[in-house]
Amino acid sequence: MNRALVLGGGGVTGIAWEIGMLSGLLAAGVDVRDADVVIGTSAGAFVGAACASGYDIEQLYVEQFQADAAEVSASASQDTVAAWLQAYTVGGADRDLVGAEFGKLAKAQPEPVSAESRRKVVESRLVTQDWPATLKVTAIDADTGQLHVFDKLAGVELVDAVSASGAVPGVWPLQRIDGRDWIDGGMVSAANAYLADGYDRVVVVAPMPWSFGQVPGAIEDVEALNGNGVATLLAPDELSMAAIGPNPYDPDRRAPAASAGREQAQRVAAEVAATWGIAEAR
């Protein structure tokens, strides 16, 4: 039996909700941090680094209720959202083409927020600077549009890989690594759950589970994964969606998002325990 934990994107509120979800599962006796692989995309890259490094999830949950001076309130403008929709229209079902369109958008506005401010945000959110052995982080090459997976063997600093994974075009600046520009790994698929294909047991925690344009999202990916193994999708329910709010980049929503995630976890713990191969949740 091998197990994969997939953590999807969803902004700073997605980070908080995922942490709440993991904290609630842990309280119910379901610890998914012992996964053979942790696949993190955007927000999930931050949470994945904490999970894979063995960081105290309860402490991380408490931190969601504390002010963080490094956080920057951001939002996607109407023009930015319109440009995103156009990228999905042009790219269609071709992941690489969609990614390349987003790369063009990012290059046209390389620093919607200063790189220095963004760096402080990333460093503040990361609980470790060392690559955990089981962690994989996704990002998209801004020129080719291809999704790339960074890991401990890639020779890239964790802070750079995570920053690249969350570099949302029009919201956060491009990330330069080894002479190439990188953007958010979730611009084509917010969770990239299909990367867990081949694992027997998969838990996907996705604040944004739906598809974008013609490219499948976590919902479709989990349906496909269930054809080869056992997979469970954890997505915000109605109460969690209300707590998260309309702007995923609003740090003021961290606390309610985390609280809602923890409460929702209690309601799904038994299902996750069964998927993970644990006898039962408590």
Side-chain angles (χ1 to χ4, degrees), residues 176-264:
R176 190 82 169 169
I177 301 176
D178 294 336
R180 301 197 68 82
D181 291 320
W182 298 87
I183 60 172
D184 193 306
M187 298 315 296
V188 174
S189 173
N192 294 303
Y194 66 93
L195 294 175
D197 186 32
Y199 286 84
D200 299 320
R201 297 177 181 272
V202 182
V203 170
V204 180
V205 187
M208 296 179 175
W210 45 83
S211 60
F212 297 102
Q214 298 179 45
V215 179
I219 295 172
E220 293 83 2
D221 284 347
V222 168
E223 289 177 353
L225 290 171
N226 271 318
N228 298 316
V230 179
T232 289
L233 172 63
L234 303 179
D237 60 14
E238 187 174 347
L239 293 175
S240 286
M241 288 297 294
I244 288 170
N247 179 14
Y249 312 111
D250 182 2
D252 289 339
R253 303 300 298 178
R254 291 164 62 225
S259 180
R262 184 178 170 90
E263 291 178 8
Q264 184 179 344

Side-chain angles (χ1 to χ4, degrees), residues 122-212:
V122 173
E123 291 176 344
S124 175
R125 292 177 183 174
L126 273 179
V127 301
T128 180
Q129 297 292 321
D130 299 323
W131 264 103
T134 59
L135 178 65
K136 296 183 182 297
V137 172
T138 68
I140 294 172
D141 186 307
D143 292 311
T144 67
Q146 294 179 339
L147 186 75
H148 185 79
V149 179
F150 293 105
D151 60 17
K152 185 179 179 66
L153 302 179
V156 174
E157 290 188 17
L158 180 62
V159 65
D160 289 335
V162 173
S163 183
S165 188
V168 182
V171 177
W172 300 118
L174 287 160
Q175 177 62 42
R176 190 82 169 169
I177 301 176
D178 294 336
R180 301 197 68 82
D181 291 320
W182 298 87
I183 60 172
D184 193 306
M187 298 315 296
V188 174
S189 173
N192 294 303
Y194 66 93
L195 294 175
D197 186 32
Y199 286 84
D200 299 320
R201 297 177 181 272
V202 182
V203 170
V204 180
V205 187
M208 296 179 175
W210 45 83
S211 60
F212 297 102

